[in-house]
Amino acid sequence: MKLALATLLFAAPAAAFAPSSNFGVANTALSMSTEAATEKTFAKLPASVKAGVVTGPALKDLLSDAKAKGYAIPGVNIVGTNSINSCMEAAAKYGGPIMVTFSKGGGQFIAGKSLSNEADSASIAGTIAGAKHVHEVAKLYGVPVVLHTDHCQKAWLPWIDGLLAASEEHFEATGEPLFSSHMLDLSEESLEENIGICKEYMEKFAKVNILLEFELGVTGGEEDGVDNTDVDSSRLYTQPEEVHYAYEELSKVENAMFTCAASFGNVHGVYAPGNVDLQPVILHNSQKYIKEKIGSDEDKPMFFVFHGGSGSSVDDIRYAIEAGVIKMNIDTDTQWAFWDGVREYEAKYHDFLQGQIGNPEGDDKPNKKYYDPRMMLRAGEEAMRDRLVKAAEDLKCVDVLN
Ligand SMILES: [Zn+2]
């Protein structure tokens, strides 16, 4: 059954969506009888997709739903429980799924900046700790949550090895991986080496139902220790032949689930207008090329993801979604939003934040309720949440659950 599902959702024709929803209907009956009391399902989504962390066949169903209906899920870089909770609070507010995304640096930050990161020990421990937080609380928010990790270049693979070991352990105990998906970014390597290493990891991921996100070409700009600001501009635009090659190679792996971060001029960070030349038509051309090459009835055989979404125009975003983009990464804009919430809080209560005692209401008045760190952190959370609701509107990810 696993094999059949993989083939039908990730390498097969449009007609495959029909059997997929049949599978979903069968599942409804099952969940009515055995799980209805505890598991929340959604009227508009396949029955396999429930509140909480979504992995394996349920993740495939969710991404297929996004591609078929034309919405994309916000993928958000987080650095701790505040930003994680903002993501889930936002998803509950806009009524859609969310992807909580750990960078290697974000995971290290969760473990604690003072720790040595020898052999990526802090990055591994912190990413796992963050994932466990999500597993504990996600259901309470009543939304589907995809647990994902961001860019991992060749030298960082030990980080993914550590996370994979945790997922294998989790799979053994529960039948599901700890993480829904991992990104491998080997775009610095040749195409053959990039896809070769991706295939090796796809074999391991497939055994525990983890989805692979891979990168072709280079996302420009700078983010979390990866600086591509000076990269040759031709590498910022992926060729349809490369996408097809990767599709064919990865499809050879049994139970393979993958998404492609193709470069179409997208950059990390927000730059002045005129510095970014987005060409989402590359994604459309790639889908057409693959469809012809593999003789598929499916117009959009590939699942694309969009890196460097911050600062992009809504028109470009929507055109990319029409080309089969099912997730857009947002980091820079939510970083700004969190800070802006804190900044506004400080500006509003400035005179209550200058000492432990004494404010405009009296020299002996205590200020504890203003400088309690939860006050400023909550202000950041709320601003980040609101920015993500706006992102979900751009991505047409609003009210897609019920
Ligand atoms: Zn990225």
Side-chain angles (χ1 to χ4, degrees), residues 127-188:
T127 307
I128 292 171
K132 286 184 174 173
H133 169 80
V134 176
H135 274 271
E136 284 300 317
V137 302
K139 274 185 193 158
L140 303 179
Y141 287 87
V143 292
V145 180
V146 180
L147 262 182
H148 180 62
T149 59
D150 208 9
H151 294 267
C152 177
Q153 58 200 49
K154 198 174 170 186
W156 294 357
L157 287 171
W159 172 48
I160 296 299
D161 295 337
L163 303 183
L164 177 60
S167 270
E168 287 166 347
E169 204 178 300
H170 199 265
F171 190 85
E172 192 109 315
T174 67
E176 292 195 46
L178 186 65
F179 292 91
S180 313
S181 54
H182 296 297
M183 180 191 195
L184 297 186
D185 177 358
L186 303 160
S187 55
E188 299 259 302

Short mmCIF file of all heavy atoms in Angstrom, two decimals, residues 127-188:
data_model
loop_
_atom_site.label_atom_id
_atom_site.label_comp_id
_atom_site.label_asym_id
_atom_site.label_seq_id
_atom_site.Cartn_x
_atom_site.Cartn_y
_atom_site.Cartn_z
N THR A 127 17.21 20.94 17.77
CA THR A 127 16.18 20.70 16.75
C THR A 127 15.22 19.62 17.24
O THR A 127 13.99 19.73 17.06
CB THR A 127 16.83 20.31 15.40
OG1 THR A 127 17.80 21.30 15.05
CG2 THR A 127 15.79 20.21 14.31
N ILE A 128 15.77 18.58 17.87
CA ILE A 128 14.91 17.52 18.39
C ILE A 128 14.03 18.05 19.53
O ILE A 128 12.83 17.76 19.60
CB ILE A 128 15.76 16.31 18.87
CG1 ILE A 128 16.41 15.63 17.65
CG2 ILE A 128 14.93 15.32 19.68
CD1 ILE A 128 17.45 14.57 18.01
N ALA A 129 14.61 18.86 20.41
CA ALA A 129 13.84 19.43 21.52
C ALA A 129 12.68 20.27 20.98
O ALA A 129 11.54 20.18 21.46
CB ALA A 129 14.74 20.27 22.41
N GLY A 130 12.97 21.08 19.96
CA GLY A 130 11.92 21.91 19.36
C GLY A 130 10.83 21.05 18.73
O GLY A 130 9.64 21.34 18.85
N ALA A 131 11.26 19.98 18.06
CA ALA A 131 10.29 19.09 17.42
C ALA A 131 9.39 18.43 18.47
O ALA A 131 8.18 18.27 18.27
CB ALA A 131 11.02 18.02 16.60
N LYS A 132 9.99 18.05 19.58
CA LYS A 132 9.19 17.42 20.64
C LYS A 132 8.18 18.41 21.23
O LYS A 132 7.07 18.03 21.59
CB LYS A 132 10.11 16.84 21.72
CG LYS A 132 10.80 15.57 21.24
CD LYS A 132 11.65 14.93 22.32
CE LYS A 132 12.20 13.58 21.83
NZ LYS A 132 13.16 12.99 22.79
N HIS A 133 8.58 19.66 21.34
CA HIS A 133 7.64 20.69 21.79
C HIS A 133 6.43 20.72 20.85
O HIS A 133 5.28 20.72 21.30
CB HIS A 133 8.33 22.06 21.84
CG HIS A 133 7.38 23.21 22.03
ND1 HIS A 133 6.86 23.56 23.25
CD2 HIS A 133 6.82 24.06 21.13
CE1 HIS A 133 6.03 24.59 23.10
NE2 HIS A 133 5.99 24.91 21.83
N VAL A 134 6.71 20.72 19.55
CA VAL A 134 5.62 20.77 18.57
C VAL A 134 4.72 19.53 18.71
O VAL A 134 3.49 19.64 18.72
CB VAL A 134 6.16 20.90 17.13
CG1 VAL A 134 5.01 20.84 16.12
CG2 VAL A 134 6.94 22.20 16.96
N HIS A 135 5.34 18.36 18.85
CA HIS A 135 4.54 17.13 18.99
C HIS A 135 3.62 17.21 20.21
O HIS A 135 2.49 16.73 20.18
CB HIS A 135 5.46 15.90 19.11
CG HIS A 135 5.87 15.34 17.78
ND1 HIS A 135 5.15 14.38 17.11
CD2 HIS A 135 6.93 15.62 16.98
CE1 HIS A 135 5.74 14.09 15.96
NE2 HIS A 135 6.83 14.83 15.86
N GLU A 136 4.10 17.82 21.28
CA GLU A 136 3.30 17.91 22.51
C GLU A 136 2.11 18.85 22.38
O GLU A 136 1.04 18.59 22.91
CB GLU A 136 4.18 18.37 23.69
CG GLU A 136 5.09 17.31 24.26
CD GLU A 136 4.32 16.09 24.80
OE1 GLU A 136 3.28 16.26 25.48
OE2 GLU A 136 4.76 14.97 24.52
N VAL A 137 2.32 19.99 21.72
CA VAL A 137 1.28 21.04 21.77
C VAL A 137 0.47 21.22 20.47
O VAL A 137 -0.59 21.83 20.50
CB VAL A 137 1.85 22.42 22.20
CG1 VAL A 137 2.54 22.30 23.56
CG2 VAL A 137 2.81 22.98 21.16
N ALA A 138 0.96 20.69 19.35
CA ALA A 138 0.34 21.00 18.05
C ALA A 138 -1.15 20.68 18.03
O ALA A 138 -1.96 21.46 17.51
CB ALA A 138 1.06 20.26 16.93
N LYS A 139 -1.53 19.53 18.59
CA LYS A 139 -2.95 19.14 18.54
C LYS A 139 -3.84 20.15 19.25
O LYS A 139 -4.99 20.33 18.88
CB LYS A 139 -3.13 17.76 19.19
CG LYS A 139 -2.89 16.63 18.23
CD LYS A 139 -3.19 15.28 18.83
CE LYS A 139 -2.64 14.20 17.92
NZ LYS A 139 -2.41 12.94 18.59
N LEU A 140 -3.30 20.78 20.29
CA LEU A 140 -4.10 21.75 21.04
C LEU A 140 -4.48 22.95 20.17
O LEU A 140 -5.48 23.61 20.43
CB LEU A 140 -3.33 22.25 22.28
CG LEU A 140 -2.86 21.17 23.27
CD1 LEU A 140 -2.09 21.80 24.43
CD2 LEU A 140 -4.05 20.37 23.79
N TYR A 141 -3.66 23.23 19.15
CA TYR A 141 -3.97 24.35 18.26
C TYR A 141 -4.99 23.95 17.20
O TYR A 141 -5.53 24.79 16.49
CB TYR A 141 -2.69 24.89 17.61
CG TYR A 141 -1.82 25.67 18.57
CD1 TYR A 141 -0.88 25.04 19.37
CD2 TYR A 141 -1.96 27.06 18.70
CE1 TYR A 141 -0.10 25.75 20.26
CE2 TYR A 141 -1.18 27.79 19.58
CZ TYR A 141 -0.25 27.12 20.37
OH TYR A 141 0.52 27.83 21.26
N GLY A 142 -5.21 22.64 17.05
CA GLY A 142 -6.25 22.16 16.14
C GLY A 142 -5.95 22.33 14.67
O GLY A 142 -6.87 22.45 13.85
N VAL A 143 -4.66 22.36 14.31
CA VAL A 143 -4.29 22.54 12.90
C VAL A 143 -3.25 21.49 12.49
O VAL A 143 -2.53 20.97 13.33
CB VAL A 143 -3.68 23.95 12.65
CG1 VAL A 143 -4.74 25.02 12.82
CG2 VAL A 143 -2.47 24.21 13.56
N PRO A 144 -3.17 21.19 11.17
CA PRO A 144 -2.11 20.29 10.70
C PRO A 144 -0.77 21.05 10.69
O PRO A 144 -0.70 22.18 10.19
CB PRO A 144 -2.52 19.94 9.27
CG PRO A 144 -3.90 20.49 9.09
CD PRO A 144 -4.08 21.58 10.08
N VAL A 145 0.25 20.42 11.25
CA VAL A 145 1.57 21.05 11.33
C VAL A 145 2.60 20.13 10.66
O VAL A 145 2.69 18.94 10.98
CB VAL A 145 1.99 21.30 12.79
CG1 VAL A 145 3.37 21.95 12.85
CG2 VAL A 145 0.96 22.16 13.51
N VAL A 146 3.35 20.70 9.72
CA VAL A 146 4.43 19.95 9.08
C VAL A 146 5.73 20.35 9.76
O VAL A 146 6.04 21.53 9.89
CB VAL A 146 4.49 20.28 7.57
CG1 VAL A 146 5.61 19.49 6.90
CG2 VAL A 146 3.14 20.00 6.90
N LEU A 147 6.47 19.35 10.23
CA LEU A 147 7.75 19.61 10.92
C LEU A 147 8.88 19.42 9.93
O LEU A 147 9.14 18.30 9.48
CB LEU A 147 7.92 18.61 12.07
CG LEU A 147 7.56 19.08 13.46
CD1 LEU A 147 7.84 17.98 14.47
CD2 LEU A 147 8.30 20.34 13.84
N HIS A 148 9.56 20.49 9.62
CA HIS A 148 10.52 20.50 8.51
C HIS A 148 11.85 21.10 8.95
O HIS A 148 11.90 21.86 9.92
CB HIS A 148 9.89 21.33 7.37
CG HIS A 148 10.72 21.46 6.14
ND1 HIS A 148 11.10 20.37 5.39
CD2 HIS A 148 11.25 22.55 5.53
CE1 HIS A 148 11.83 20.81 4.35
NE2 HIS A 148 11.93 22.10 4.42
N THR A 149 12.93 20.73 8.26
CA THR A 149 14.21 21.41 8.49
C THR A 149 14.67 22.08 7.19
O THR A 149 14.37 21.60 6.10
CB THR A 149 15.31 20.45 8.99
OG1 THR A 149 15.52 19.42 8.01
CG2 THR A 149 14.93 19.84 10.32
N ASP A 150 15.41 23.16 7.36
CA ASP A 150 15.78 24.03 6.24
C ASP A 150 17.16 23.64 5.68
O ASP A 150 17.73 22.63 6.06
CB ASP A 150 15.77 25.48 6.75
CG ASP A 150 15.46 26.48 5.65
OD1 ASP A 150 15.10 26.06 4.54
OD2 ASP A 150 15.59 27.70 5.90
N HIS A 151 17.66 24.48 4.80
CA HIS A 151 18.92 24.24 4.08
C HIS A 151 19.94 23.41 4.84
O HIS A 151 20.32 23.77 5.96
CB HIS A 151 19.58 25.57 3.72
CG HIS A 151 18.79 26.38 2.74
ND1 HIS A 151 18.99 26.32 1.38
CD2 HIS A 151 17.76 27.24 2.94
CE1 HIS A 151 18.13 27.12 0.78
NE2 HIS A 151 17.38 27.70 1.70
N CYS A 152 20.41 22.33 4.22
CA CYS A 152 21.51 21.55 4.77
C CYS A 152 22.50 21.29 3.66
O CYS A 152 22.23 20.51 2.74
CB CYS A 152 21.00 20.24 5.35
SG CYS A 152 22.37 19.23 5.97
N GLN A 153 23.63 21.97 3.71
CA GLN A 153 24.65 21.76 2.70
C GLN A 153 25.47 20.52 3.05
O GLN A 153 25.29 19.94 4.11
CB GLN A 153 25.53 23.00 2.58
CG GLN A 153 26.20 23.39 3.88
CD GLN A 153 26.64 24.86 3.87
OE1 GLN A 153 25.87 25.76 3.52
NE2 GLN A 153 27.88 25.09 4.27
N LYS A 154 26.38 20.15 2.15
CA LYS A 154 27.10 18.87 2.28
C LYS A 154 27.82 18.76 3.63
O LYS A 154 27.75 17.72 4.28
CB LYS A 154 28.11 18.76 1.13
CG LYS A 154 28.62 17.36 0.89
CD LYS A 154 29.49 17.35 -0.37
CE LYS A 154 30.22 16.04 -0.53
NZ LYS A 154 31.17 16.10 -1.68
N ALA A 155 28.48 19.82 4.03
CA ALA A 155 29.27 19.77 5.28
C ALA A 155 28.38 19.64 6.52
O ALA A 155 28.87 19.32 7.60
CB ALA A 155 30.14 21.02 5.39
N TRP A 156 27.09 19.92 6.35
CA TRP A 156 26.18 19.89 7.50
C TRP A 156 25.40 18.57 7.63
O TRP A 156 24.55 18.43 8.51
CB TRP A 156 25.16 21.04 7.40
CG TRP A 156 25.76 22.42 7.51
CD1 TRP A 156 27.07 22.74 7.74
CD2 TRP A 156 25.05 23.67 7.39
NE1 TRP A 156 27.22 24.11 7.76
CE2 TRP A 156 26.00 24.70 7.55
CE3 TRP A 156 23.72 24.01 7.16
CZ2 TRP A 156 25.66 26.05 7.49
CZ3 TRP A 156 23.37 25.36 7.10
CH2 TRP A 156 24.33 26.36 7.27
N LEU A 157 25.67 17.63 6.73
CA LEU A 157 24.88 16.38 6.74
C LEU A 157 24.86 15.65 8.08
O LEU A 157 23.85 14.98 8.40
CB LEU A 157 25.35 15.46 5.61
CG LEU A 157 24.93 15.92 4.20
CD1 LEU A 157 25.62 15.08 3.12
CD2 LEU A 157 23.42 15.88 4.02
N PRO A 158 25.94 15.75 8.91
CA PRO A 158 25.85 15.10 10.23
C PRO A 158 24.66 15.59 11.06
O PRO A 158 24.12 14.84 11.89
CB PRO A 158 27.18 15.49 10.88
CG PRO A 158 28.12 15.67 9.73
CD PRO A 158 27.28 16.28 8.63
N TRP A 159 24.25 16.83 10.84
CA TRP A 159 23.04 17.36 11.52
C TRP A 159 21.83 16.51 11.13
O TRP A 159 21.08 16.02 11.99
CB TRP A 159 22.86 18.83 11.13
CG TRP A 159 21.59 19.49 11.58
CD1 TRP A 159 21.03 19.48 12.83
CD2 TRP A 159 20.70 20.28 10.77
NE1 TRP A 159 19.88 20.21 12.85
CE2 TRP A 159 19.65 20.71 11.60
CE3 TRP A 159 20.70 20.68 9.42
CZ2 TRP A 159 18.60 21.52 11.13
CZ3 TRP A 159 19.67 21.48 8.96
CH2 TRP A 159 18.63 21.89 9.81
N ILE A 160 21.65 16.31 9.81
CA ILE A 160 20.51 15.50 9.32
C ILE A 160 20.64 14.05 9.79
O ILE A 160 19.64 13.41 10.15
CB ILE A 160 20.40 15.59 7.79
CG1 ILE A 160 20.09 17.04 7.35
CG2 ILE A 160 19.32 14.64 7.25
CD1 ILE A 160 18.79 17.61 7.88
N ASP A 161 21.87 13.54 9.81
CA ASP A 161 22.06 12.15 10.29
C ASP A 161 21.55 12.01 11.73
O ASP A 161 20.90 11.02 12.07
CB ASP A 161 23.55 11.76 10.23
CG ASP A 161 24.06 11.71 8.79
OD1 ASP A 161 23.25 11.55 7.86
OD2 ASP A 161 25.30 11.85 8.60
N GLY A 162 21.84 13.00 12.56
CA GLY A 162 21.37 12.97 13.95
C GLY A 162 19.85 13.03 14.05
O GLY A 162 19.23 12.32 14.85
N LEU A 163 19.25 13.85 13.19
CA LEU A 163 17.78 13.98 13.21
C LEU A 163 17.12 12.72 12.65
O LEU A 163 16.07 12.28 13.14
CB LEU A 163 17.35 15.20 12.39
CG LEU A 163 17.96 16.55 12.82
CD1 LEU A 163 17.40 17.68 11.97
CD2 LEU A 163 17.73 16.83 14.29
N LEU A 164 17.76 12.14 11.65
CA LEU A 164 17.22 10.90 11.06
C LEU A 164 17.23 9.78 12.10
O LEU A 164 16.26 9.01 12.20
CB LEU A 164 18.05 10.52 9.82
CG LEU A 164 17.67 9.22 9.12
CD1 LEU A 164 16.22 9.24 8.64
CD2 LEU A 164 18.60 8.94 7.93
N ALA A 165 18.30 9.71 12.87
CA ALA A 165 18.36 8.69 13.93
C ALA A 165 17.20 8.86 14.91
O ALA A 165 16.58 7.89 15.34
CB ALA A 165 19.71 8.77 14.66
N ALA A 166 16.89 10.12 15.24
CA ALA A 166 15.77 10.39 16.15
C ALA A 166 14.44 9.97 15.51
O ALA A 166 13.55 9.44 16.18
CB ALA A 166 15.74 11.87 16.52
N SER A 167 14.31 10.21 14.20
CA SER A 167 13.07 9.82 13.51
C SER A 167 12.95 8.31 13.43
O SER A 167 11.84 7.76 13.52
CB SER A 167 13.04 10.41 12.09
OG SER A 167 12.42 11.68 12.10
N GLU A 168 14.07 7.63 13.23
CA GLU A 168 14.04 6.16 13.16
C GLU A 168 13.57 5.57 14.50
O GLU A 168 12.75 4.65 14.54
CB GLU A 168 15.41 5.62 12.75
CG GLU A 168 15.70 5.87 11.27
CD GLU A 168 17.16 5.68 10.87
OE1 GLU A 168 18.03 5.58 11.76
OE2 GLU A 168 17.44 5.66 9.66
N GLU A 169 14.07 6.15 15.57
CA GLU A 169 13.67 5.72 16.91
C GLU A 169 12.16 5.97 17.12
O GLU A 169 11.43 5.13 17.62
CB GLU A 169 14.48 6.52 17.93
CG GLU A 169 14.64 5.88 19.29
CD GLU A 169 15.51 6.77 20.19
OE1 GLU A 169 16.67 7.03 19.82
OE2 GLU A 169 14.99 7.23 21.21
N HIS A 170 11.73 7.16 16.72
CA HIS A 170 10.33 7.55 16.86
C HIS A 170 9.44 6.65 16.01
O HIS A 170 8.35 6.25 16.44
CB HIS A 170 10.18 9.02 16.42
CG HIS A 170 8.93 9.69 16.91
ND1 HIS A 170 7.78 9.77 16.15
CD2 HIS A 170 8.64 10.32 18.07
CE1 HIS A 170 6.85 10.42 16.83
NE2 HIS A 170 7.34 10.77 18.00
N PHE A 171 9.93 6.31 14.82
CA PHE A 171 9.17 5.46 13.90
C PHE A 171 8.98 4.07 14.50
O PHE A 171 7.91 3.47 14.40
CB PHE A 171 9.90 5.36 12.55
CG PHE A 171 9.10 4.71 11.47
CD1 PHE A 171 8.20 5.43 10.70
CD2 PHE A 171 9.26 3.36 11.20
CE1 PHE A 171 7.47 4.83 9.70
CE2 PHE A 171 8.52 2.74 10.19
CZ PHE A 171 7.63 3.48 9.43
N GLU A 172 10.05 3.59 15.10
CA GLU A 172 10.01 2.28 15.74
C GLU A 172 8.93 2.25 16.83
O GLU A 172 8.17 1.31 16.97
CB GLU A 172 11.38 2.02 16.40
CG GLU A 172 11.57 0.60 16.84
CD GLU A 172 12.59 -0.11 15.96
OE1 GLU A 172 12.52 0.04 14.72
OE2 GLU A 172 13.45 -0.76 16.51
N ALA A 173 8.84 3.35 17.58
CA ALA A 173 7.91 3.41 18.71
C ALA A 173 6.48 3.72 18.30
O ALA A 173 5.53 3.23 18.91
CB ALA A 173 8.41 4.45 19.71
N THR A 174 6.31 4.55 17.26
CA THR A 174 4.96 5.07 16.96
C THR A 174 4.48 4.78 15.55
O THR A 174 3.32 5.02 15.23
CB THR A 174 4.92 6.60 17.14
OG1 THR A 174 5.74 7.20 16.11
CG2 THR A 174 5.44 7.03 18.51
N GLY A 175 5.39 4.35 14.66
CA GLY A 175 5.01 4.16 13.26
C GLY A 175 5.07 5.43 12.44
O GLY A 175 4.71 5.44 11.27
N GLU A 176 5.53 6.52 13.08
CA GLU A 176 5.69 7.78 12.36
C GLU A 176 7.05 8.39 12.65
O GLU A 176 7.58 8.22 13.75
CB GLU A 176 4.60 8.78 12.77
CG GLU A 176 3.22 8.38 12.32
CD GLU A 176 2.23 9.54 12.41
OE1 GLU A 176 2.57 10.65 11.98
OE2 GLU A 176 1.14 9.32 12.94
N PRO A 177 7.62 9.13 11.69
CA PRO A 177 8.91 9.79 11.97
C PRO A 177 8.72 10.99 12.90
O PRO A 177 7.60 11.51 13.01
CB PRO A 177 9.36 10.24 10.59
CG PRO A 177 8.09 10.46 9.83
CD PRO A 177 7.11 9.44 10.34
N LEU A 178 9.80 11.42 13.54
CA LEU A 178 9.71 12.63 14.37
C LEU A 178 9.53 13.86 13.48
O LEU A 178 8.75 14.75 13.78
CB LEU A 178 10.98 12.77 15.22
CG LEU A 178 11.00 13.90 16.25
CD1 LEU A 178 9.95 13.68 17.34
CD2 LEU A 178 12.39 14.02 16.90
N PHE A 179 10.26 13.89 12.35
CA PHE A 179 10.18 15.01 11.41
C PHE A 179 9.40 14.60 10.17
O PHE A 179 9.52 13.48 9.69
CB PHE A 179 11.59 15.46 10.99
CG PHE A 179 12.35 16.07 12.13
CD1 PHE A 179 13.16 15.28 12.94
CD2 PHE A 179 12.25 17.42 12.42
CE1 PHE A 179 13.84 15.83 14.02
CE2 PHE A 179 12.92 17.99 13.49
CZ PHE A 179 13.72 17.19 14.29
N SER A 180 8.60 15.53 9.66
CA SER A 180 7.83 15.26 8.44
C SER A 180 8.74 15.26 7.22
O SER A 180 8.56 14.46 6.31
CB SER A 180 6.76 16.33 8.23
OG SER A 180 6.04 16.58 9.41
N SER A 181 9.71 16.18 7.22
CA SER A 181 10.51 16.37 6.01
C SER A 181 11.82 17.08 6.33
O SER A 181 11.92 17.80 7.33
CB SER A 181 9.73 17.19 4.99
OG SER A 181 9.28 18.41 5.55
N HIS A 182 12.81 16.83 5.49
CA HIS A 182 14.10 17.52 5.60
C HIS A 182 14.47 18.08 4.23
O HIS A 182 14.25 17.43 3.20
CB HIS A 182 15.21 16.56 6.03
CG HIS A 182 15.02 15.98 7.39
ND1 HIS A 182 14.99 16.75 8.54
CD2 HIS A 182 14.85 14.69 7.80
CE1 HIS A 182 14.82 15.95 9.59
NE2 HIS A 182 14.72 14.71 9.17
N MET A 183 15.12 19.24 4.26
CA MET A 183 15.68 19.77 3.02
C MET A 183 17.16 19.43 2.95
O MET A 183 17.87 19.55 3.95
CB MET A 183 15.54 21.30 2.97
CG MET A 183 16.13 21.87 1.70
SD MET A 183 16.29 23.64 1.72
CE MET A 183 16.54 23.93 -0.05
N LEU A 184 17.60 18.99 1.79
CA LEU A 184 19.04 18.88 1.51
C LEU A 184 19.35 19.90 0.42
O LEU A 184 18.71 19.89 -0.63
CB LEU A 184 19.42 17.48 1.04
CG LEU A 184 19.19 16.31 2.00
CD1 LEU A 184 19.77 15.04 1.39
CD2 LEU A 184 19.82 16.58 3.37
N ASP A 185 20.28 20.77 0.69
CA ASP A 185 20.67 21.77 -0.30
C ASP A 185 22.10 21.50 -0.75
O ASP A 185 23.05 21.98 -0.16
CB ASP A 185 20.53 23.17 0.29
CG ASP A 185 21.00 24.24 -0.70
OD1 ASP A 185 21.46 23.88 -1.80
OD2 ASP A 185 20.92 25.43 -0.35
N LEU A 186 22.22 20.69 -1.81
CA LEU A 186 23.54 20.34 -2.34
C LEU A 186 23.77 21.06 -3.66
O LEU A 186 24.47 20.58 -4.55
CB LEU A 186 23.63 18.82 -2.48
CG LEU A 186 23.37 18.12 -1.13
CD1 LEU A 186 22.97 16.68 -1.32
CD2 LEU A 186 24.58 18.23 -0.22
N SER A 187 23.16 22.24 -3.77
CA SER A 187 23.22 22.98 -5.03
C SER A 187 24.62 23.52 -5.32
O SER A 187 24.89 23.98 -6.42
CB SER A 187 22.19 24.12 -5.02
OG SER A 187 22.38 24.94 -3.89
N GLU A 188 25.51 23.48 -4.33
CA GLU A 188 26.91 23.87 -4.55
C GLU A 188 27.64 22.80 -5.36
O GLU A 188 28.68 23.07 -5.95
CB GLU A 188 27.64 23.99 -3.21
CG GLU A 188 27.07 25.02 -2.27
CD GLU A 188 27.91 26.28 -2.29
OE1 GLU A 188 29.11 26.17 -2.01
OE2 GLU A 188 27.36 27.33 -2.62
#
